Amino acid sequence: MFKDKKIAFYVTGGIAVYKSIQLMRDLIKLGAEVKVAMTPAAAEFVAPLTFQVLSKNAVHMDTFSEELPQYVQHIHLADWADLNIVAPATANTVAKLAHGFADNFVTSALLATTSPLFVVPAMNEHMYEHPATQENLQILQNRGAYIMEPETGFLAEGYSGKGRFPESAAIIEALESFLIDLDEQLPLKGKSILITAGGTKERIDPVRYISNDSSGKMGHALAEAACRQGAEVTLITASSLPVHKKIRTISIDSAAALYKEVDQRFDQTDALIMAAAVSDYAPAHQADHKMKKQDQLTIELKKNRDILKAMGKKKAHQILIGFAAETEHIEQYALKKLKEKNLDMIVANDVGQSDRGFNTDQNEVTIYFRAEEPATILLTDKTKVAEKIVQLLIQQME
Ligand SMILES: Cc1cc2nc3c(=O)[nH]c(=O)nc-3n(C[C@H](O)[C@H](O)[C@H](O)COP(=O)(O)O)c2cc1C
């Protein structure tokens, strides 16, 4: 998402300047090209040299230095940028931006830019909550800027309050959401995609259950990949892995709960990807209290409803993608499932090998279709496998 993105990174004079270094580095690690401009007040906190060395670009601070005669530097930066980030944004600079001031390099460049603006205010709680600051932030938001909400916590003043500069990961997540919302050209814009993940748990009693080795990593990676392509993603998951804020998440445990959640959303969905490892069986009776130890225990199992098969029967306009986790006769079983369950694609993987499939970070899969030739994705990170599966889904949807 940030690969080759040209980011103009504006640093203003708050105590959180040192934290913005981490944000800038993370953006560079994600592939962005970053050019920094600072206010003189920002340079009181951290020397421009730090930003210059880490961004590998000269830092702009003086509007009138104009070392390169072929450019007016603040206009050149404003025109160059695909995205503008002000981090941290002081109350003072927020006020200037809201009212169109152009009295230093930062405010002049930001008045001249036409690309999106992302603002990370950070300041004392009372400064942040002052009606002037709130009104100024509102003005910027009304003009299309994204205003990141500061965190509540321990402030530099020595007391707790709202105004802290958020963690870099949280800012990057918000930035991604902002960019996805802005880009109307993303291939899955306007599409609603339902994804299931994780191994379901079938309760024996309040503290024991039957489950499987699925971690949910593949389903969660698919949800993120579809989200990055602009889809409205709903993830129904039995896993507790973290999820991007832009993804609607529904936590479930049992196969019955999963069935209910999928079934009630299926009609409004454009595609369903069933990456969850759903238990085929559940205890016929669930004990209300913890079962006491016995010499021998027999648990009667009943078959769970087959969610994919049921959705295959209901299918109208939806693209239906299943997973076949097998340890033998993988192709044969996958093709059988594709046909019997009325799927459009089936992702087959060998869960009998320790370096791929369940509970690992990598996978190797072969995808079978109804008419086209199968496609194999060789052993790689699940995030990459997910991106390729989503590309194949996009082709199916075209
Ligand atoms: C120690 C210290 C810490 C400050 N921290 C902040 C801050 O976190 N947020 C803020 O809005 N202003 C803060 N200020 C006030 C700004 O530095 C001041 O308003 C300055 O004029 C901002 O200039 P700029 O917006 O051009 O960078 C701080 C000032 C000092 C002396």
Side-chain angles (χ1 to χ4, degrees), residues 12-16 39-42 45 89-93 96 104 122-124 127:
T12 69
I15 192 71
T39 60
F45 293 87
T90 56
N92 177 55
T93 294
K96 287 183 184 176
N104 60 31
M123 62 200 68
N124 167 273
M127 277 174 108

Side-chain angles (χ1 to χ4, degrees), residues 292-335:
K292 299 310 284 176
K293 203 186 289 179
Q294 308 165 32
D295 285 343
Q296 264 202 334
L297 175 65
T298 305
I299 299 171
E300 190 192 337
L301 299 177
K302 66 172 180 1
K303 206 165 175 208
N304 282 326
R305 281 200 284 183
D306 187 327
I307 305 175
L308 255 183
K309 201 169 183 176
M311 298 309 126
K313 278 195 186 134
K314 267 178 95 168
K315 191 169 107 167
H317 61 282
Q318 294 91 344
I319 301 282
L320 202 49
I321 304 178
F323 271 69
E326 305 291 352
T327 52
E328 57 177 357
H329 311 303
I330 298 168
E331 179 174 353
Q332 185 191 336
Y333 289 153
L335 288 170

